[in-house]
Each structure stands twice: as structure tokens, then as C-alpha cells.
Amino acid sequence: MNILFIGDISGSDGIRAIKDNLAEIKNEFKIEFVIANAENTTEGRGLSKSDYEVLKKLGINFFTMGNHTWHQSDYSDVLSNDDIVRPANINNLSTYSKYGVGTRSLNINGIKIRITNLLGSSITFKNSENVITNPFIYLENLILNIEKDSFHIIDFHSETTSEKNAFLCNFKSKVGAILCTHTHVQTSDNRIVDNTAYITDVGMTGNSDGVIGAEPTTIVEMFKGERKFFKLSTNKGRYQFSAVVLKINNNICEEINRILIYENNIIK
């Protein structure tokens, strides 16, 4: 089985990248199932119901999310679907935990696949404390209580490369794939370690001319010391498409290969 995992879809350029490339990629790589991180899809923050429906029609089968899961007003409608997971390691006392689930078991063409979404401890929520529980402890407990015959894919949505590397060290051989997201820049360290496929960041599917998909003006001004804060808005222009392909056989990943397409300049 070949599974395509698409990194952080961001804004309208990200949707356009999906529209222009997904069908061809599915055909070329004989993809049987498509997963996408969609937490930045709607203007860079969250996933609206209308954008969710557009992405479904374009051929995405399943969605993972991240720290912007709850930004759009209709997030509860989106999270009520059975083809999406939001971060699992959310404090049960938090309002963020009241909708959706963080892990799902699927049967795809007779093969059991589990998909789990986790937030790294290095990510923070503004004006909120104790929202994120420890992702290492959460996954250790989950593994103890699930069936062992599924290929388990983790979308680890984390801020730092060190936390992502530590996650691999702790869970190699215990899960099928650790596909990290959030930092939007595709890394070239895709590899298989003790039967666990890994990449530090799958990359972003969105505008390629800004700052990790965002309009650069206020961000550049902040780094130059001309302002204290930046305004986050998606940039418009050329896109990039970032993803990885997992080749799975008998619940073991035999290959993890990167895809990086810049509009009008294809790199694979």
C-alpha cells in the first residue's frame, strides 16, 4: 500500500497546489490513501467546513490538525466527521477537548491503519495554560491500550527539531511512522529507523514566496527590530507542494520518499 501524507496546507495557494497536482501524484505513485495536515488551510488558521469540503472533493481522504484546530467558528462541525483527527494530548478539562478525537483506527482495503495527531510540548497557546498534556506520556499510554496489528502513523505537530528527534528516539520500532509537521520547511532527513519511518518536517503546501506561507512585511519588520509583533496573514503568489510517500508492506514501511514541487519548477 502506498500512502501520501501532505504537509501543512496553507491558504488558497495551498488549495490551488492540491488542485493542480494531487490527481497526477496519485496516479504516478499509485497512491491508495491520502492524508493531509489541514490546520492552516483557511487563511492560515484552522479549517472551515467549506474548505474541508473542497479538499475532500479534490481527493484527500483523511485530515490531521494542529494548534490552529479551533480557530474557525465552525470547527465543531468539521471535527464531527470521522475522517479527521485533532491533537489528542489536550487536557480533558479544556474546552478544546470537547469536540473531535485525537486518534482513529481505519480499515483501508483490508489493511488496518491507525492515525494519531499530537502536539509537541514546545507549542504554546496564547492566554491558555495547561492545555497541552505531555505527548510522550500520552503516546506511551495509547500504545499500551490499542491493537498491535495496525500500522500506526503519528502526525507530531511540534515547534522544535530537538523535540521531534527525541520523539523518534523514544518511539522508534513502536509505531509505523512519525511524520512531523508545523515548521513548514521540508527537511531532507527522511529515513527508516528500526522499522519506523521518520521525517523532521514534511513541509508546507502553500505560498512559496513569503515567510513559511505568510505575508512577509510585518514579519521582516519584527526581525529588523522595527516592531514587536507581526500580523499573520497568508501570502499570495506561487505555491509549493510538500509531501511524503510511504510504501507499506505487511505493516512495515519499506520506503519513505519526499515530494517537493514548486510551481512551474518540479523537484522530486
Side-chain angles (χ1 to χ4, degrees):
M1 168 180 279
N2 291 342
I3 293 178
L4 180 73
F5 186 99
I6 302 169
D8 297 75
I9 301 172
S10 182
S12 58
D13 283 340
I15 296 175
R16 191 164 59 86
I18 300 296
K19 183 178 181 180
D20 288 355
N21 295 281
L22 182 55
E24 181 180 350
I25 288 171
K26 288 172 69 174
N27 181 63
E28 180 178 350
F29 293 93
K30 298 179 173 57
I31 301 297
E32 297 175 59
F33 196 72
V34 180
I35 308 167
N37 183 292
E39 69 123 11
N40 295 132
T41 300
T42 304
E43 293 302 319
R45 291 176 176 267
L47 175 64
S48 68
K49 186 176 181 180
S50 59
D51 282 341
Y52 161 83
E53 291 171 349
V54 167
L55 293 175
K56 286 290 293 183
K57 289 179 181 178
L58 290 175
I60 295 175
N61 304 113
F62 198 91
F63 301 89
T64 59
M65 297 294 285
N67 53 301
H68 290 303
T69 298
W70 305 271
H71 189 83
Q72 296 298 315
S73 61
D74 54 358
Y75 71 85
S76 61
D77 290 337
V78 174
L79 293 179
S80 68
N81 293 287
D82 61 4
D83 55 4
I84 188 169
V85 285
R86 46 87 172 156
N89 57 317
I90 297 295
N91 191 318
N92 289 333
L93 299 178
S94 168
T95 56
Y96 293 111
S97 70
K98 298 186 183 301
Y99 299 95
V101 298
T103 184
R104 291 188 186 275
S105 180
L106 312 171
N107 190 310
I108 305 168
N109 299 331
I111 298 173
K112 289 183 178 181
I113 303 289
R114 176 173 288 275
I115 303 171
T116 299
N117 193 192
L118 292 168
L119 284 178
S121 298
S122 53
I123 290 179
T124 59
F125 284 81
K126 289 184 178 180
N127 304 319
S128 299
E129 295 182 359
N130 302 318
V131 172
I132 303 173
T133 64
N134 189 292
F136 290 77
I137 302 303
Y138 180 93
L139 186 55
E140 286 176 350
N141 290 333
L142 178 64
I143 289 172
L144 290 175
N145 292 286
I146 59 174
E147 296 180 25
K148 302 298 188 294
D149 59 345
S150 296
F151 185 85
H152 196 170
I153 298 172
I154 312 296
D155 175 354
F156 189 42
H157 202 74
S158 173
E159 187 74 41
T160 65
T161 55
S162 57
E163 186 178 22
K164 293 174 180 180
N165 287 177
F167 208 75
L168 171 64
C169 289
N170 195 78
F171 291 106
K172 60 185 179 182
S173 81
K174 299 176 184 178
V175 297
I178 299 171
L179 308 178
C180 302
T181 56
H182 180 66
T183 47
H184 284 210
V185 178
Q186 188 180 85
T187 56
S188 59
D189 61 339
N190 52 300
R191 61 194 190 276
I192 297 173
V193 183
D194 294 345
N195 290 330
T196 296
Y198 174 81
I199 187 168
T200 297
D201 203 279
V202 179
M204 176 197 66
T205 297
N207 181 267
S208 61
D209 296 324
V211 178
I212 58 173
E215 202 287 322
T217 303
T218 61
I219 299 173
V220 172
E221 289 173 352
M222 184 190 69
F223 281 118
K224 290 170 68 177
E226 297 172 357
R227 61 164 61 221
K228 290 185 177 180
F229 305 102
F230 63 86
K231 180 181 178 181
L232 182 63
S233 59
T234 53
N235 204 39
K236 307 291 184 183
R238 293 175 295 183
Y239 65 66
Q240 66 185 59
F241 183 109
S242 303
V244 292
V245 178
L246 304 178
K247 182 179 180 180
I248 301 167
N249 188 23
N250 293 324
N251 283 337
I252 294 175
C253 186
E254 297 179 337
E255 295 180 21
I256 174 173
N257 296 305
R258 289 179 290 121
I259 295 175
L260 179 57
I261 299 173
Y262 289 102
E263 190 169 12
N264 302 323
N265 181 21
I266 298 176
I267 302 173
K268 293 182 180 178

